[in-house]
Every structure is written in structure tokens, then in C-alpha cells.
Amino acid sequence: WVELVIMTLGMFVAALGVYFFLIPSKLIVGSITGLSLVISQLLPFISVGNVIFIINAILLVLSFVLIGNEFGAKTVYTALILGPMIDFLGTIFPMSESMFTQHVAGGIITNPWFDLLCFVLILSASQSILFSINASTGGLDILAKIINKYTGVSLGTSVTFAGGAICCTAFAINPPYLVIIGLIGTWMNGLILNHFMLGMNMRNRVFVISKDYERIQDYVINTLRRGVTMHEVIGGFSHQKNVQLEIILTNEELSNFMAFLAKEEIDSFCTTDTVSEVRGLW
């Protein structure tokens, strides 16, 4: 149920980005939504929401077959609610132009770069949250996940490759400069997604050498509820044997750990570095 709430909120955030920034600017950023905008322009009797629904339904079959039941089941929910959410926002907040459009002396000045930046940031945040619970926003994310699974290419790079191909379909309805803006947006989406994913998976690895290692071990295991790996080490200067503790912690746990060392006045040699991902029980 927690994941269901996360998926719903994540998709609502994505729908806000699509409706308020992508659709009014008519930018075709490399995504299924962008492809849907092209199709709805060529076939005006079909709404953007309906096109998104149809394409996602086809891609969902691929997600079950090529990726797995868990990812497919979660993506069924997220993908099928995006189109209705966009149409719902359209009935509540009708928009005919971008919110960044300015009317000056009877003329109209648009700035698609603002729309692009806002949409990419919002979409990347939504994608990273959903990928972290083995779900996705559907559409392009399904293609990216397939590429990631069978080639090992990172999710951000997969999004860039698949999105770039889709973005090129915009030449059918948009002038070249808008297509180029869309390609830049697709590239930015991949970079920001990789940044968010690394930030969400990143952990701190702590190495501690201390004669009071048993007190530290007890605090980490019984208070922080984390594991400890113990190494026997020999000092290069003193030639004395000692015990080094290796611990993997989150940012909050690292702060608590450092506060514990200071409060208990434990004499130690402590270093930290970052690891991009942790797999297994830690």
C-alpha cells in the first residue's frame, strides 16, 4: 500500500509536468508522451490522453514478457493512470498557451527553454522515484528498462537513446529548432535521471580503527541496526595489530555515528567514502 501511494503521487507529479509544461509548449521531448503529441497533431480526432493510453497498453505487454511480472504489474497501474490524469487536469485547469508566454505590444513572446527545464526536472524526479521501487512511468521507461536489462546500459543512457529516436518523429509537425530543443531535453533527462538514481542509491562506507572497537560494534549492530565487517590490520608505522571495522551507512546514520564517537570520546582513526550501490543484506 505504501508503494501504491508512492506510485500514485509519482505519476501525478509526472502528469503535472506533462500538462503544464510539455503540452502547451508543443515541445516533443523524447518520450511516449512526445510521440503521442505527434500522433494527436496528425490525427486531431484522438486526444493526447487516449493516444498515451493505447501506446502504453501495447508496451505493457512487452514489459510482462521481457522484464517480469512485478515490474509489469506496477507499470500497468502507473501507465494507465497517466492519460486520465492529464485529461483530468485539462478539465480543471484549461490552458491554451504556455504559462511562460508573454504578450508584449500585441505580440507573443514564448520561451520554450523554461518549459523544457521545468518538465525535465519534474519528469526525472518522478522516474527516479518509480525506478527505485521497480516501477516506471510507462512508455519510454519500459523501453529504457528493456535496454538496461539486456545490454547493461544505465537507465539514464537508455532513456537518452530511446528518447532520441522518438524525438526525431517531431520533424513531422515541428520546425527543426523545436526538435533540436527536444533532443537537448532528452539528453538532459538522461543526465538528471542518472544523477537522481545515483543519489538515491548512494551510501557511505566507513572504516574505523580503534581499540574500543567492541563498543563501536555494539552501537552499530544494536542501535543503528547495521552490519559490521571486521578486519585485522597492522599499522605501517607502529607495527601493532589492531581491528578495523567496515560499515555501510546512510547519510543520517553516518551523522549519528559521528555524533556517537564524539559523545563517547572514543579514540579512533575514521575515514569515509561513498559507494554508488549496495546489494545484499547490509
Side-chain angles (χ1 to χ4, degrees):
W1 288 107
V2 172
E3 289 187 348
L4 182 64
V5 172
I6 293 174
M7 288 187 288
T8 303
L9 292 176
M11 289 309 299
F12 185 70
V13 170
L16 290 174
V18 171
Y19 180 74
F20 286 106
F21 301 109
L22 186 64
I23 294 177
S25 66
K26 296 181 173 58
L27 290 173
I28 308 301
V29 178
S31 66
I32 296 304
T33 303
L35 180 60
S36 300
L37 287 171
V38 174
I39 295 176
S40 65
Q41 289 284 330
L42 298 177
L43 304 174
F45 54 87
I46 303 178
S47 71
V48 174
N50 287 335
V51 177
I52 292 174
F53 184 91
I54 294 170
I55 296 177
N56 277 329
I58 296 172
L59 289 173
L60 283 172
V61 176
L62 295 177
S63 71
F64 275 104
V65 174
L66 299 177
I67 302 176
N69 292 337
E70 180 189 357
F71 180 86
K74 290 179 178 178
T75 306
V76 163
Y77 176 72
T78 58
L80 296 182
I81 65 174
L82 178 59
M85 279 183 173
I86 292 174
D87 287 340
F88 171 75
L89 289 172
T91 60
I92 302 300
F93 305 103
M95 295 180 63
S96 59
E97 60 185 17
S98 168
M99 65 175 62
F100 297 112
T101 299
Q102 296 181 348
H103 297 268
V104 179
I108 297 177
I109 300 176
T110 61
N111 196 331
W113 289 104
F114 286 152
D115 289 297
L116 177 71
L117 290 173
C118 292
F119 170 72
V120 168
L121 285 172
I122 291 173
L123 180 65
S124 299
S126 175
Q127 287 173 318
S128 61
I129 292 171
L130 292 171
F131 277 136
S132 70
I133 59 172
N134 198 28
S136 74
T137 61
L140 176 65
D141 290 356
I142 297 176
L143 295 178
K145 188 74 173 180
I146 292 173
I147 295 173
N148 169 256
K149 179 178 180 179
Y150 290 98
T151 67
V153 176
S154 70
L155 286 168
T157 304
S158 300
V159 166
T160 301
F161 284 151
I166 292 174
C167 193
C168 290
T169 63
F171 281 109
I173 64 170
N174 277 351
Y177 81 94
L178 284 181
V179 180
I180 293 174
I181 292 176
L183 286 169
I184 293 173
T186 303
W187 173 67
M188 291 173 56
N189 182 203
L191 291 179
I192 297 172
L193 176 59
N194 271 338
H195 173 75
F196 282 154
M197 293 296 294
L198 287 175
M200 295 178 67
N201 295 329
M202 187 177 64
R203 298 291 183 265
N204 301 286
R205 179 169 53 192
V206 185
F207 292 102
V208 186
I209 300 175
S210 174
K211 294 180 179 180
D212 293 326
Y213 68 89
E214 291 181 344
R215 292 170 60 192
I216 300 174
Q217 177 189 12
D218 178 72
Y219 173 77
V220 172
I221 293 176
N222 296 313
T223 302
L224 297 181
R225 313 294 294 178
R226 293 299 183 194
V228 178
T229 301
M230 305 173 68
H231 308 278
E232 188 178 78
V233 295
I234 301 175
F237 176 75
S238 65
H239 301 288
Q240 294 179 353
K241 290 185 178 181
N242 215 325
V243 174
Q244 175 180 263
L245 304 180
E246 180 181 356
I247 314 160
I248 305 296
L249 302 173
T250 64
N251 289 333
E252 181 181 359
E253 291 164 349
L254 177 61
S255 298
N256 293 335
F257 179 75
M258 291 301 183
F260 164 78
L261 294 180
K263 180 180 178 181
E264 298 296 324
E265 297 182 348
I266 295 177
D267 185 23
S268 65
F269 179 75
C270 181
T271 60
T272 66
D273 58 15
T274 57
V275 291
S276 60
E277 188 171 353
V278 177
R279 292 183 180 270
L281 183 63
W282 60 285

